[in-house]
Amino acid sequence: MSEGERKIVDTRGKFTQVVKDGRELNDAEWTGGRILLSNKRLILAGNGGKRTVPLSKIRGLDGRTDVNQLVAKVSGYVSLQLTTGDVVLVSAEDPDSFERMLYRALLDRTVVLARHPAVEGGVVTEADWEKARLKIEEGAVALAVADGSFVEIDLDDIGSMETNERSVRGEKRRALEVEHSEEGTSVQTYISGSERRCSILETLLRKGESRSEIGVDLSERENEVLMALYSGVSPFEVPDFLGMDVDEVESVFDRLLELEVVEEIRVRREVALNARGRNIASEAMNDQ
């Protein structure tokens, strides 16, 4: 390995190229062999030879590319979209671990701009854009912000993820807007960076967003309780805040627990909205 290069993963699996110069290869077949990932490149070595993919040539990791039934039969693969217009699929022995390590190799310790919290409890804040260093953890994306704060976005806690053009330090730039929770309150963190970095990070964050679809019908009272929690009202303060009996609030909490839109923190009925619940509360507030 070259100077400054370090090995991250050395495993076995299979791989294939399914798009060349933007054109799908319908006769693609899997090749078994060794998969070696470093902080600078990915090496795929099989009986037919060795292919080296510099990490700088990977522009995205997104979606399935099932060009034929042979490819489609494999569920656990990573789709590498290269700057050359090629698409290479890699299926490691432990696909989840390899995918996590690949995201880590591509994003760990890279610098982005972050605005946190950009929105708190549904209210836009005056937070400024700050430099932040990314850290990809198991099940989470963390940001070490230049002002000394540390933001952790649990992938299972992402309620929504949008991409918009924002004014970032006086320039129009692509920004990822991630809704998650912090100490029981809904917050939004905005992240901006290079087009490539944003594209790769967006794919990772959307893996969490897909788990929080709504599809729940709630009564007016249930919506009121959700909106109160979403706004940062403590579960113990909900009865006074909404003018409801304690027993009625307890009954609503039980119903929300059944629908999996809140999570019980302590047995004495302290609850917190999860990603699904925050999505419902946000939609309910928008309908007011």
Side-chain angles (χ1 to χ4, degrees):
M1 289 190 173
S2 62
E3 185 178 351
E5 186 174 9
R6 54 185 173 78
K7 182 171 65 177
I8 298 174
V9 174
D10 189 351
T11 187
R12 298 194 65 81
K14 49 192 173 183
F15 33 85
T16 184
Q17 181 172 341
V18 294
V19 176
K20 183 175 182 179
D21 299 326
R23 181 177 60 86
E24 288 191 354
L25 304 176
N26 296 320
D27 58 349
E29 295 183 0
W30 291 103
T31 298
R34 184 184 179 192
I35 301 170
L36 179 63
L37 174 66
S38 77
N39 61 319
K40 292 188 176 182
R41 56 184 170 162
L42 174 67
I43 299 173
L44 308 173
N47 292 333
K50 180 176 72 174
R51 176 166 188 166
T52 299
V53 180
L55 298 189
S56 60
K57 298 297 183 183
I58 299 176
R59 64 174 178 83
L61 307 173
D62 194 15
R64 292 184 63 86
T65 313
D66 295 334
V67 295
N68 59 38
Q69 287 298 315
L70 186 63
V71 171
K73 285 181 180 178
V74 176
S75 59
Y77 67 69
V78 179
S79 178
L80 310 179
Q81 300 174 344
L82 309 184
T83 56
T84 58
D86 296 351
V87 177
V88 176
L89 311 183
V90 181
S91 177
E93 286 182 337
D94 186 341
D96 292 337
S97 175
F98 174 75
E99 184 177 30
R100 183 172 66 254
M101 291 302 182
L102 183 56
Y103 275 112
R104 187 171 292 175
L106 291 165
L107 295 173
D108 227 17
R109 302 184 64 79
T110 58
V111 175
V112 294
L113 290 171
R115 186 180 166 204
H116 176 84
V119 180
E120 184 173 13
V123 179
V124 177
T125 73
E126 296 182 358
D128 293 326
W129 288 95
E130 302 278 356
K131 285 187 177 181
R133 192 176 298 276
L134 284 172
K135 182 173 177 55
I136 308 305
E137 302 175 342
E138 186 170 359
V141 172
L143 294 161
V145 187
D147 64 7
S149 61
F150 186 79
V151 182
E152 185 171 81
I153 303 173
D154 189 329
L155 295 181
D156 286 339
D157 185 48
I158 294 174
S160 63
M161 226 291 299
E162 296 183 1
T163 302
N164 287 304
E165 191 176 73
R166 290 275 177 184
S167 177
V168 182
R169 293 188 170 182
E171 295 182 19
K172 288 291 185 180
R173 299 181 60 173
R174 180 182 181 187
L176 309 179
E177 304 176 3
V178 191
E179 191 280 337
H180 56 110
S181 68
E182 197 170 76
E183 297 181 353
T185 301
S186 168
V187 297
Q188 287 185 35
T189 300
Y190 292 176
I191 304 170
S192 184
S194 68
E195 190 70 23
R196 172 178 174 270
R197 196 163 295 163
C198 281
S199 177
I200 295 171
L201 182 58
E202 179 182 0
T203 305
L204 176 58
L205 294 171
R206 287 202 183 280
K207 289 179 177 293
E209 181 202 24
S210 64
R211 297 171 61 103
S212 59
E213 295 180 357
I214 300 176
V216 175
D217 290 324
L218 299 179
S219 68
E220 183 178 348
R221 273 307 202 189
E222 289 164 348
N223 269 321
E224 288 176 352
V225 171
L226 275 186
M227 287 187 284
L229 294 171
Y230 183 83
S231 301
V233 177
S234 161
F236 301 110
E237 296 172 346
V238 168
D240 289 339
F241 184 80
L242 295 177
M244 295 172 62
D245 292 336
V246 173
D247 288 344
E248 185 180 4
V249 173
E250 292 279 336
S251 177
V252 171
F253 283 165
D254 286 335
R255 164 76 171 152
L256 298 178
L257 282 165
E258 289 176 7
L259 294 173
E260 298 182 343
V261 296
V262 298
E263 298 168 345
E264 192 166 40
I265 299 174
R266 291 201 296 262
V267 175
R268 281 198 73 251
R269 195 51 85 232
E270 182 176 0
V271 299
L273 289 180
N274 56 25
R276 191 180 187 207
R278 295 195 306 275
N279 269 352
I280 297 170
S282 179
E283 286 213 350
M285 292 180 79
N286 289 336
D287 290 339
Q288 294 298 300

